[in-house]
Amino acid sequence: MSDSLTCPLCGQKERFTLVNHLRTAHNTEPAAFAAKFPEQALHVAEFNAFMQEHDVQRSDGVLHYQLDIAGIRMTARYGVRHSLVPKPDSTFVWTEPCKDVAEAIEHNERVFIHGPSGTGKSSLVRQIGALTQRPVRRVSLNGETSVADFVGHWTVNEKKETVFVKGILPQALEEGHILQLDEVDAMQPEVGFILQQVLEPNGHLLLTDTGEDIAPHEAFRLVATANTLGFGSDSGLYASGTHVLNFSWLDRWDVVVHMDFLPAKQEIELLRARHASLNKDLLKRIVKAAGDLRKAHAEEQLTTVVSTRRLLALCARLERGNDFTRALTVCVLNKVPAEDVKVIQETFDHHLGPIAQQKPAA
Ligand SMILES: Nc1ncnc2c1ncn2[C@@H]1O[C@H](COP(=O)(O)OP(=O)(O)O)[C@@H](O)[C@H]1O
Ligand SMILES: [Mg+2]
């Protein structure tokens, strides 16, 4: 079967579809063309099947199609050029909790993701944004983000006029970003109070400074990430700077997802994908040591925990030819309290033994 079509208006041959050609060469929309040439196919059969299978639609001048992400059917956009659309990362590992977050974003549920630091919470939101081509605006709500940054503030412009500059929240609401609020367990209570308005389904934001009522764009999404569930830190690891969140505030989030460390097999896959030159056996042993240390942390024998982020940093140094002890010192040991150093060092020695003495990036 031919993969090209001939334009009845000018005789030009086009591959797969006439739509682009009609628009650019004849300034004609497909509907007007179909009314004039009811017998002429607009697309070849496979292209039609693809369009139907992926439910390709054009709205607001952008193509939308259905995409399978980790088993969840999501609506993606095509050809969006926006500086806030993240870059896709083919090494990202999709786990079960990722599906719950994807579903929440697709169906406009407010989602709260909690779990230890470095377990991929922020990366997940960015990857969903990358694959569906949605702009992602990330803001850390640690104590330093003020209400003025978040909601907006008055300033004097070049013409010496006093104007109100909208902050991150109204911008994200109006422009339809995924707003990712990091460290919500450390936010100022005033910020939590403001957020309450937009946690409601279709919740508007009232800018008290100007009286403006801001309705959310249909693409606006809200995601929070935190290390604790807001009941204070169970482990004590995140105690400083985290507040106990108000229960009624927490109750307004539609979905709460817990993300934990990757299962060993997937963590090894990730380290291999990012640091392909490292020996697989070495990576297996590193992940085994990290697993034991995480267990020790859960059993309260260790105050800190070795995250995937730490392992990636360690592997990056090993890949550059650093010896193991030096890399472990700067990537892990120098970050932990003195009482943890010995246990961590011994655990890595136990699992890596003589391997750690060799130059690993062979
Ligand atoms: N599932 C995963 N797939 C790929 N990379 C991951 C995954 N989980 C964590 N990482 C990597 O670990 C590092 C920390 O992840 P990040 O998303 O910042 O964690 P968090 O937001 O939970 O603190 C990043 O380099 C990220 O790419
Ligand atoms: Mg994060």
Side-chain angles (χ1 to χ4, degrees):
M1 190 190 287
S2 161
D3 66 0
S4 63
L5 295 161
T6 306
C7 172
L9 295 171
C10 65
Q12 185 163 317
K13 276 193 183 289
E14 285 291 321
R15 288 187 81 199
F16 307 127
T17 175
L18 288 175
V19 172
N20 261 349
H21 169 76
L22 291 172
R23 286 203 175 112
T24 51
H26 304 292
N27 198 19
T28 301
E29 281 302 306
F33 175 84
K36 226 165 153 187
F37 298 97
E39 302 294 312
Q40 171 67 51
L42 269 171
H43 319 291
V44 298
E46 294 93 328
F47 192 90
N48 255 335
F50 180 88
M51 300 257 290
Q52 273 168 21
E53 195 180 315
H54 294 271
D55 193 16
V56 181
Q57 310 269 351
R58 193 181 167 93
S59 78
D60 287 341
V62 179
L63 279 188
H64 291 70
Y65 65 102
Q66 298 296 306
L67 178 68
D68 188 85
I69 299 182
I72 301 296
R73 205 162 161 84
M74 296 196 77
T75 309
R77 302 168 192 190
Y78 178 78
V80 176
R81 282 186 189 80
H82 193 296
S83 58
L84 290 178
V85 173
K87 300 264 176 294
D89 171 5
S90 60
T91 65
F92 188 79
V93 180
W94 297 85
T95 54
E96 284 297 308
C98 300
K99 295 184 183 181
D100 293 318
V101 176
E103 184 173 335
I105 289 179
E106 176 66 13
H107 296 282
N108 198 9
E109 291 168 327
R110 306 291 189 237
V111 53
F112 189 112
I113 314 171
H114 73 103
S117 171
T119 47
K121 300 182 293 297
S122 302
S123 312
L124 167 63
V125 178
R126 292 181 62 73
Q127 282 317 299
I128 291 174
L131 297 179
T132 58
Q133 299 210 351
R134 286 169 175 273
V136 177
R137 183 78 196 261
R138 176 181 167 270
V139 53
S140 173
L141 289 187
N142 58 29
E144 283 159 32
T145 308
S146 66
V147 174
D149 299 326
F150 198 55
V151 179
H153 61 275
W154 293 100
T155 184
V156 177
N157 69 8
E158 287 163 0
K159 295 185 212 154
K160 303 262 182 298
E161 297 158 335
T162 306
V163 288
F164 186 77
V165 180
K166 287 175 187 165
I168 297 160
L169 178 61
Q171 278 177 28
L173 276 163
E174 288 187 321
E175 292 169 29
H177 302 158
I178 297 179
L179 181 59
Q180 182 195 332
L181 307 168
D182 276 349
E183 301 176 71
V184 281
D185 47 354
M187 80 187 163
Q188 296 180 10
E190 300 91 301
V191 173
F193 197 68
I194 291 158
L195 270 177
Q196 196 138 326
Q197 297 178 51
V198 295
L199 276 171
E200 300 294 328
N202 196 36
H204 291 210
L205 174 72
L206 179 67
L207 290 178
T208 47
D209 291 79
T210 59
E212 194 180 339
D213 175 78
I214 300 193
H217 186 287
E218 51 85 21
F220 173 72
R221 299 291 185 270
L222 195 61
V223 182
T225 74
N227 293 135
T228 67
L229 193 46
F231 302 131
S233 171
D234 299 336
S235 62
L237 189 56
Y238 306 109
S240 88
T242 62
H243 304 305
V244 174
L245 299 172
N246 172 319
F247 179 76
S248 78
W249 188 84
L250 258 178
D251 194 42
R252 283 168 209 257
W253 293 85
D254 297 308
V255 191
V256 175
V257 177
H258 178 66
M259 283 185 64
D260 215 328
F261 294 105
L262 287 172
K265 199 164 162 263
Q266 286 175 304
E267 195 166 40
I268 296 166
E269 257 170 46
L270 171 64
L271 298 181
R272 284 199 87 189
R274 298 259 182 102
H275 302 286
S277 73
L278 294 179
N279 175 298
K280 188 172 180 193
D281 184 48
L282 171 79
L283 296 179
K284 274 188 181 165
R285 287 165 187 257
I286 289 176
V287 168
K288 198 113 204 325
D292 280 4
L293 290 166
R294 289 167 192 164
K295 198 157 160 264
H297 170 72
E299 288 164 1
E300 300 186 352
Q301 291 160 16
L302 204 62
T303 60
T304 51
V305 73
V306 180
S307 68
T308 305
R309 193 189 275 122
R310 294 292 92 241
L311 299 187
L312 284 163
L314 176 68
C315 289
R317 283 234 152 198
L318 296 177
E319 199 168 36
R320 271 184 245 124
N322 279 231
D323 72 60
F324 193 87
T325 309
R326 196 171 139 221
L328 186 72
T329 305
V330 291
C331 296
V332 181
L333 302 178
N334 286 354
K335 291 194 161 230
V336 303
E339 65 263 32
D340 286 355
V341 169
K342 194 161 171 276
V343 180
I344 297 178
Q345 205 158 26
E346 282 174 2
T347 307
F348 276 100
D349 275 351
H350 170 71
H351 285 286
L352 279 94
I355 285 196
Q357 312 307 320
Q358 298 164 11
K359 277 250 170 206

